[in-house]
Amino acid sequence: MGNVTLTEQLIAMQCVDDIRHAQMAVDEHLDVPARRTEVAKRIADYYVSQQVEVPVDVVESGVRTYFDRRLTFEAPRAPRLANWLASVYVTRGNWLRPLLTSSVVLAGIGGVGAFVYNDYESFANKRVAAGIEHFNVKTRHLDAELTRIQTNAGRIRTELAALGGVNATAILDPLDAEAATAAAALKGVGQPLVPVDRNNRDAIEARVVSARTELDTIEVSLGRADRLLSDASAVLGAKRQFDNLAGTDDFRRSGPMSSHLNTQAAIVKTEFLSLAPGKVDQVKKDVRALSDLTAAIPQLQTGRQDLERLERQFGRIGMDGNDRQKVLALLAKGQGAMQAMDAVALRETVKELEQLAEYATVPLQINVVDRAGMKSGVERNYNASGGKSWYLIVEALDPAGNVVAVPVRSSEKGGSVQYRPYFGVRVSHEQYELVKSEKKQTGHVSHKRMGEKLANALVIKYANTFSSEPETIMEW
């Protein structure tokens, strides 16, 4: 180990760093779109922190140009002297022998050797100077990034303290610690700005190589601090949004919906007080949920007014028995949707009640359909059991003779109630054959009457059907 020279060590370290940075470059190139977006955001944030106005399209264009060119190989251009010497060497067969015979030419060769040596010295000095410049540029960039993070962190801490109700230290303290670590390391790196010459070149180059590792470590630390800063900024935005929501008239006057709304608000308050770096996304999600609920309050209040109006309307109709129970069940369903702050369910319930109110007030007569091109009955065959059932197709007519859609649920498919102008009711085989015979003989149905619905009622009273509450179908 005692025989290892500094030059050998530096060359070996250079190889290690080249391999390491090549691997880092490969990792960066694996996801170019994400890397390009991240670089553009970082540059835009830097200009904002420096109060320099740069259009977004200019930043994106510059970043795109950089990424388009960064993998393009450009062959290094050798100095003119080197090109000339190469040409001299290639054509040595033409001039070497005569040259050896001339002492004047020998003296010239000595001069060329001096020029070659001086050119090498210049090239080596420029290489080290380029490394110093790269070091200085990166140091200035990291210093500006550190200033931006510390400035924004201080501003966010002040604003969150003014708002109150947030455990801001859970995020800002680790952020400050990362920033302080990066600041101390950046200060310790120093500035190798000594002019480069043959005597100090190796020492300066060794310092630049070691500083490169230090700057990489500082960059990683600042990256962690920047992610914490993003979390802190998100928390500040969520707290402002929450306070704005809690201060709105809709929130304070939510009435029957206040229980659900206050429960959601209490969840958010607890999350702010027990804040931790890994819980920021959940806080943002719950604040958005609270915002959606608050935005739905005007719709829910309109729905509540509609429910009250419909309840009074059905009260004036004066239903009783099963009809009243159906209405009360729908009103209770609407109240439940309102308390759960489900605007969609409330709107659907109101629509169903309005249809029902319109349907209830009109007296209807239920007749077998007797129109050209329309069936008056259908027969169902159940192959598995060998059984059969018979249905007459009916329609509901108001006093003016208009066909009215009525609420029907399919006995075959189940599901929700649907309003249909035509539907089938199950009848006995005898009743079915009677209608079938009339239609075949005269082309019309004489025994049409199948039931009626009285005014201010919901239930159809059937006659001549298989039962008092016959099975119904909607497809044939």
Side-chain angles (χ1 to χ4, degrees):
M1 291 295 293
N3 295 328
V4 176
T5 65
L6 176 60
T7 299
E8 290 176 323
Q9 178 183 345
L10 292 177
I11 293 174
M13 289 177 64
Q14 181 67 45
C15 292
V16 172
D17 282 343
D18 288 343
I19 294 172
R20 181 170 63 87
H21 284 87
Q23 185 60 47
M24 291 171 60
V26 170
D27 293 339
E28 288 179 1
H29 299 327
L30 290 178
D31 191 358
V32 172
R35 186 61 179 170
R36 185 165 53 200
T37 301
E38 181 181 353
V39 171
K41 179 179 182 302
R42 182 66 63 84
I43 292 174
D45 290 344
Y46 171 77
Y47 281 124
V48 170
S49 68
Q50 299 298 313
Q51 299 182 347
V52 177
E53 294 187 4
V54 179
V56 176
D57 57 341
V58 173
V59 174
E60 292 180 349
S61 176
V63 172
R64 186 165 53 253
T65 301
Y66 162 69
F67 273 89
D68 289 342
R69 294 179 178 176
R70 67 173 182 169
L71 297 181
T72 302
F73 173 75
E74 295 183 3
R77 299 183 61 181
R80 292 183 179 180
L81 180 59
N83 286 334
W84 181 79
L85 290 175
S87 176
V88 169
Y89 177 78
V90 170
T91 60
R92 64 188 182 278
N94 299 330
W95 53 264
L96 183 58
R97 187 175 300 232
L99 185 62
L100 291 175
T101 63
S102 174
S103 60
V104 176
V105 176
L106 286 176
I109 292 176
V112 169
F115 281 124
V116 171
Y117 176 77
N118 291 334
D119 190 63
Y120 168 78
E121 287 292 315
S122 176
F123 177 78
N125 291 343
K126 289 179 180 180
R127 184 188 69 244
V128 176
I132 293 175
E133 180 60 24
H134 178 268
F135 168 84
N136 291 334
V137 169
K138 189 167 186 178
T139 301
R140 288 194 296 270
H141 166 70
L142 293 178
D143 186 62
E145 185 72 0
L146 174 64
T147 300
R148 178 187 69 84
I149 291 173
Q150 290 178 323
T151 301
N152 288 330
R155 174 183 57 80
I156 291 174
R157 183 184 289 275
T158 300
E159 294 185 23
L160 284 176
L163 293 174
V166 180
N167 181 27
T169 58
I171 293 177
L172 291 175
D173 283 357
L175 190 160
D176 290 342
E178 286 285 0
T181 300
L186 196 58
K187 185 177 180 180
V189 170
Q191 297 287 332
L193 298 177
V194 179
V196 181
D197 56 33
R198 182 175 61 182
N199 298 323
N200 63 12
R201 184 172 59 232
D202 289 344
I204 292 177
E205 189 168 21
R207 178 64 189 122
V208 170
V209 170
S210 62
R212 187 184 303 171
T213 302
E214 298 175 30
L215 293 180
D216 288 345
T217 302
I218 295 171
E219 189 172 26
V220 171
S221 181
L222 287 178
R224 289 193 295 265
D226 191 48
R227 287 190 290 273
L228 289 170
L229 180 65
S230 297
D231 285 348
S233 180
V235 170
L236 176 60
K239 188 62 170 66
R240 286 173 175 167
Q241 184 181 7
F242 174 78
D243 289 349
N244 289 337
L245 291 172
T248 60
D249 291 338
D250 289 338
F251 189 96
R252 292 195 299 266
R253 301 171 185 173
S254 53
M257 299 163 282
S258 61
S259 176
H260 187 76
L261 199 63
N262 288 335
T263 298
Q264 183 66 25
I267 291 173
V268 175
K269 287 181 180 178
T270 301
E271 289 175 342
F272 276 128
L273 291 173
S274 59
L275 191 64
K279 297 182 179 180
V280 174
D281 288 341
Q282 184 62 42
V283 172
K284 291 164 57 180
K285 177 182 177 182
D286 289 337
V287 171
R288 283 196 300 269
L290 184 64
S291 176
D292 292 341
L293 291 176
T294 306
I297 289 177
Q299 301 177 43
L300 292 166
Q301 289 174 333
T302 300
R304 180 179 63 181
Q305 295 170 359
D306 290 337
L307 281 181
E308 293 172 350
R309 171 179 56 79
L310 288 165
E311 186 174 8
R312 292 192 298 270
Q313 183 176 346
F314 279 110
R316 288 192 296 269
I317 292 175
M319 295 180 176
D320 55 13
N322 291 334
D323 290 346
R324 179 175 175 78
Q325 292 303 316
K326 288 183 179 180
V327 172
L328 291 177
L330 281 174
L331 289 171
K333 179 181 177 183
Q335 291 289 343
M338 184 174 60
Q339 292 175 0
M341 302 191 71
D342 189 342
V344 174
L346 178 58
R347 186 165 56 249
E348 291 177 350
T349 304
V350 167
K351 181 179 178 182
E352 189 174 352
L353 281 166
E354 287 177 336
Q355 286 182 308
L356 201 60
E358 183 180 358
Y359 164 74
T361 56
V362 182
L364 299 174
Q365 183 173 318
I366 311 302
N367 292 342
V368 177
V369 173
D370 185 20
R371 288 191 176 87
M374 293 186 65
K375 290 183 177 181
S376 296
V378 293
E379 180 178 309
R380 288 284 201 258
N381 297 306
Y382 303 104
N383 296 328
S385 62
K388 293 183 177 182
S389 58
W390 297 268
Y391 292 84
L392 293 179
I393 309 305
V394 299
E395 60 187 0
L397 302 176
D398 64 12
N402 300 312
V403 178
V404 177
V406 300
V408 181
R409 178 182 281 109
S410 173
S411 300
E412 294 178 333
K413 294 186 177 181
S416 60
V417 171
Q418 300 181 36
Y419 280 76
R420 294 294 183 93
Y422 307 101
F423 58 98
V425 294
R426 187 177 180 184
V427 297
S428 64
H429 185 216
E430 293 74 16
Q431 181 68 18
Y432 177 81
E433 289 295 333
L434 174 64
V435 172
K436 180 179 179 182
S437 176
E438 290 179 347
K439 192 87 178 268
K440 187 175 291 187
Q441 291 177 8
T442 65
H444 294 284
V445 180
S446 300
H447 297 79
K448 296 181 180 180
R449 188 73 175 269
M450 295 298 295
E452 65 177 356
K453 184 194 78 68
L454 301 177
N456 299 331
L458 299 177
V459 177
I460 297 175
K461 296 181 179 180
Y462 289 98
N464 302 320
T465 56
F466 191 78
S467 64
S468 59
E469 295 183 3
E471 297 176 3
T472 55
I473 60 174
M474 293 185 286
E475 297 177 356
W476 49 86

